[in-house]
Amino acid sequence: MRRWLPIIAAGCLLAVGALVVVGSLTPRAQPSIAERADALAAELRCPDCQGLSVADSPTSSAREIRRQIDELLAGGATDDEVRDHFVARYGNWIRLAPAAPVVWVLPFVVLIAGVGLLALWLRTRRTPIAGPLAAVDAEKRRRLREEVESLDA
Amino acid sequence: MRTLRWLLVPVLVLPITWLLFQGFGRDPRQVASPLLERPAPAWSLTTLDGEALSSEDLEGRPYVVNFWASWCVPACVDEHPVLAAAHESHGDAIPIIGVLYQNAPADAQAFLDRYGNAGYAHLVDERGSLAIDYGVTGPPETFFVDAEGVVRARQWGPLTEETMDAYLALITPATAR
């Protein structure tokens, strides 16, 4: 089992990599303005709620943000321009998902490092400890046996 | 290897625990406003008294924009006398503009009748678009704009006499005080 760990780790890595490549190559249909507005509303935070997106909230702030998203998209704004419109007002706080790529990559790096460390640790543990039995000489063995037998008696 | 493992505790675990505990004492909405040191949003709205008012009418003067609501209790009640006092001492030199945050005009009027109407204008921001332009997350929130129309400070939560004076000092030229 232990010797398979690095191979399993490498296999997982390959599978994830393949998924990413296939996913980025598959052509997607151009989303409609309503679909883009839905997606943007889902990734923007409702400003007066606790951890809810604009899409999930019925407050008037959320409704107004949704209305502004629709208006901006209808005016020809790109998705990034819509995000920037709200980030300019609220800061990055308004985005539910972090924008920095490092936050997305870090868990995978830590996972791979963890699997690597575990594999390394298991390998070192597997190495047999040299000569502890030989160190017990005949005299000691005799004494030990005597003591054990006296305990049994 | 063994000492290395013990080093993990102070080097990794303690700083991460400290970082996470830091977050407990802070409200996630209390982030720095991206509006600071930027031109204040422009607006043109109607006041509670039914008069038209726009940011252009305030050009050349420092002003204060205070988002509040009658349901914002006790914070908005607490800071109400502070705003009234500032209006009393500075008058039209530093206009104070109240903005109703998700509040029906009738409810806001009832609040003013009960706690005192200092006489400065209150904007009816029906759709809440001005609150969004200012990045407001909840009342009370107050912005201090200097005579050049640049946002110099934001107070998140109720104002006190001390914070009010400190922020007003930021937006008024030294000679005017």
Side-chain angles (χ1 to χ4, degrees):
Chain A
M1 177 59 203
R2 284 167 195 162
R3 81 179 60 177
W4 292 103
L5 262 178
I7 298 166
I8 292 168
C12 288
L13 210 68
L14 261 174
V16 169
L19 269 175
V20 169
V21 170
V22 169
S24 62
L25 289 180
T26 317
R28 285 192 202 89
Q30 202 67 251
S32 70
I33 284 189
E35 283 168 347
R36 284 167 60 202
D38 286 344
L40 284 163
E43 64 178 77
L44 291 174
R45 187 190 296 275
C46 156
D48 45 12
C49 312
Q50 299 282 340
L52 276 183
S53 77
V54 164
D56 294 330
S57 163
T59 68
S60 54
S61 308
R63 278 206 307 273
E64 173 60 14
I65 288 180
R66 177 62 202 235
R67 195 195 62 77
Q68 289 188 11
I69 295 173
D70 291 340
E71 193 178 87
L72 288 165
L73 289 179
T78 64
D79 289 3
D80 274 337
E81 281 166 352
V82 173
R83 287 185 198 104
D84 291 346
H85 172 86
F86 294 104
V87 169
R89 285 152 178 78
Y90 286 96
N92 269 322
W93 173 85
I94 197 75
R95 303 183 66 167
L96 278 172
V102 64
V103 188
W104 296 105
V105 176
L106 202 64
F108 291 103
V109 172
V110 171
L111 183 77
I112 291 163
V115 170
L117 273 175
L118 190 71
L120 206 75
W121 180 64
L122 287 173
R123 257 166 75 103
T124 45
R125 240 177 50 137
R126 211 157 43 113
T127 331
I129 306 154
L133 286 177
V136 182
D137 57 23
E139 171 62 17
K140 271 188 186 150
R141 257 184 237 198
R142 191 187 56 77
R143 263 184 27 219
L144 274 170
R145 186 168 294 124
E146 273 178 18
E147 279 175 24
V148 168
E149 280 166 0
S150 72
L151 279 174
D152 284 346
Chain B
M1 187 66 196
R2 185 154 296 210
T3 44
L4 209 70
R5 205 184 306 164
W6 284 111
L7 265 177
L8 273 180
V9 176
V11 170
L12 276 179
V13 179
L14 289 183
I16 291 174
T17 315
W18 176 79
L19 201 73
L20 292 175
F21 265 93
Q22 282 288 301
F24 278 120
R26 285 162 50 187
D27 191 302
R29 296 185 299 176
Q30 203 172 0
V31 286
S33 169
L35 266 74
L36 291 179
E37 308 307 323
R38 289 256 175 86
W43 44 266
S44 177
L45 290 165
T46 312
T47 67
L48 257 186
D49 302 331
E51 285 168 26
L53 188 66
S54 82
S55 49
E56 280 177 25
D57 300 333
L58 307 171
E59 259 177 21
R61 281 183 289 171
Y63 60 94
V64 177
V65 181
N66 169 246
F67 290 86
W68 68 281
S70 63
W71 48 261
C72 147
V73 178
C76 291
V77 178
D78 290 347
E79 70 166 12
H80 191 64
V82 177
L83 289 154
H87 177 68
E88 196 136 300
S89 46
H90 298 285
D92 283 344
I94 310 176
I96 294 176
I97 311 293
V99 185
L100 307 191
Y101 183 84
Q102 297 188 14
N103 204 190
D107 294 342
Q109 191 59 60
F111 178 99
L112 293 174
D113 292 344
R114 180 171 174 189
Y115 295 105
N117 190 344
Y120 58 85
H122 296 278
L123 301 171
V124 180
D125 181 24
E126 209 171 331
R127 284 203 312 229
S129 55
L130 185 56
I132 287 170
D133 281 345
Y134 267 99
V136 174
T137 56
E141 219 171 293
T142 311
F143 293 82
F144 294 80
V145 183
D146 70 9
E148 275 79 51
V150 175
V151 179
R152 290 290 178 208
R154 178 188 71 155
Q155 168 67 22
W156 190 89
L159 286 158
T160 61
E161 270 174 47
E162 292 75 35
T163 50
M164 186 69 159
D165 288 346
Y167 289 138
L168 286 180
L170 282 177
I171 58 168
T172 42
T175 47
R177 275 182 275 131

